[in-house]
Structure formats: C-alpha cells, structure tokens
Amino acid sequence: SGSTSQAASIIEALEGGASALLLDEDTSATNFMIRDARMQALVSADREPIRPFITRVRSLWSERGVSTVLVVGGSGDYFDVADTVLMLHEYSPSDATAAAKDVAARIAGGAPPESKADRGMPPTPRRVLSAPGLIAGMKTHTGRASIRFGDEPELDLGGVEQIVEHSQVRAIAEACLRLGGGGGAA
C-alpha cells in the first residue's frame, strides 16, 4: 500500500542519516499523513500498525533533530504541530504562522488525539549507510534528472515525475548543499 511504502521510505531516509524530510501532501498517502477522529473511532490505534505522520513529526525533531518541510493544501490539522507556516499567494511566500495558529485555536479539529499523547519515537534504527556529509565548495554537477556532488555516486532523480525542467534539479542540489552545511550554489 502507499502508506507502507511511504513509511518504509522515511525509515530508510532516517537510517541513512537524513537531517530533513521534504514531503508533498499531493504525492503522499493520505492514511499515512493523518487519520481523522472518525477513522480513529472505527480503527483503534492498537489495530493500526502504521502511526500517522502527524503523530510523529514533533518527536522526529525533538528526539532526533530531523526537520520536516511539508507542503500541504488540504489539511489544516498540521497547524497544531507546525513551527512555521508559509503561505503562497501568486507564487510569493509569506509567513502565515500567526494566522494559522489563530485558525487552529478558533476552529475545532486539529491534530488527532493520537498525536497529543505521542509515545515518542521508537529506538534509533541502526545506520546502514555511512553519510560523509556535504562540504562547502564541493564540486557539483546537475544534469536533466541527476545530481553529482564531488566524486560521490550520482543521485538519480529520473523517477520523480514532478521534475520537468533542469532548474528544479539545480534547486534540489542547492537545497541539499544548504541542508548539508555547504551553503554554496549548485
């Protein structure tokens, strides 16, 4: 299922030493991202093997230092657990954190009860990859659907159907460098 695949992908990223997760609600499995109160009433947490991401996002940061950038357009329930909310208007971002927190305070809903009693993260998985990190000034090459940092193996983005132009690949390379502490331009 989509939720199992997405959960497995996140576990692999954590085992590989990821310090940030980039998620898009449009390409995520809905039942992985959130379970509303009605679904929780029908299927109790002890009968559901995968906990919704909304119940783990805070502990990913507080217990593991893993940031999450989540693009959402349909679930205001994340307002309750968000540190920062940016809103896009005519392709221009603005800080909507205060307004989102106000909406969350005024309108019932929000993060499901499971996240309010977050049991924390399971034990840190054994790292299976050695991630040397990114270094400032590292030679970077971007292709139509690939990125190479220095002599590291090529990062193939060919399977990401949302990538339609080279500038998107350059932006991903820049984000990787910044997240890795390199800070340079791709």
Side-chain angles (χ1 to χ4, degrees), residues 3 10 12 24 28 41 44-45 51 67 86 88 102-103 112 117 120 156-158 174:
S3 60
I10 288 176
E12 288 175 2
D24 185 346
S28 294
S44 63
R51 299 290 181 258
S67 297
L86 298 177
L88 224 58
D102 180 58
V103 167
D156 181 8
L157 301 172
E174 177 70 22

Side-chain angles (χ1 to χ4, degrees), residues 37-128:
R38 289 177 177 162
M39 189 56 70
Q40 289 179 55
L42 180 64
V43 181
S44 63
D46 62 330
R47 293 182 55 206
E48 176 60 51
I50 297 176
R51 299 290 181 258
F53 188 71
I54 195 169
T55 69
R56 301 289 194 192
V57 67
R58 294 298 313 164
S59 54
L60 274 170
W61 171 249
S62 64
E63 296 177 22
R64 298 216 178 143
V66 176
S67 297
T68 300
V69 176
L70 175 59
V71 177
V72 297
S75 180
D77 288 352
Y78 276 91
F79 294 167
D80 290 312
V81 296
D83 290 323
T84 304
V85 177
L86 298 177
M87 185 166 56
L88 224 58
H89 178 69
E90 295 179 357
Y91 303 102
S92 181
S94 63
D95 187 344
T97 305
K101 295 295 183 179
D102 180 58
V103 167
R106 286 186 294 110
I107 299 174
E114 291 175 334
S115 66
K116 293 185 174 125
D118 189 353
R119 296 179 261 325
M121 294 299 298
T124 302
R126 178 179 62 86
R127 288 188 65 173
V128 294

Side-chain angles (χ1 to χ4, degrees), residues 93-175:
S94 63
D95 187 344
T97 305
K101 295 295 183 179
D102 180 58
V103 167
R106 286 186 294 110
I107 299 174
E114 291 175 334
S115 66
K116 293 185 174 125
D118 189 353
R119 296 179 261 325
M121 294 299 298
T124 302
R126 178 179 62 86
R127 288 188 65 173
V128 294
L129 302 174
S130 94
L134 302 174
I135 304 167
M138 179 178 282
K139 180 180 149 190
T140 304
H141 170 76
T142 59
R144 172 81 169 99
S146 65
I147 303 170
R148 181 180 304 275
F149 297 103
D151 295 327
E152 294 296 317
E154 183 175 77
L155 175 61
D156 181 8
L157 301 172
V160 182
E161 65 187 34
Q162 291 85 356
I163 294 178
V164 294
E165 60 183 52
H166 184 251
S167 63
Q168 292 172 296
V169 177
R170 285 195 319 266
I172 292 168
E174 177 70 22

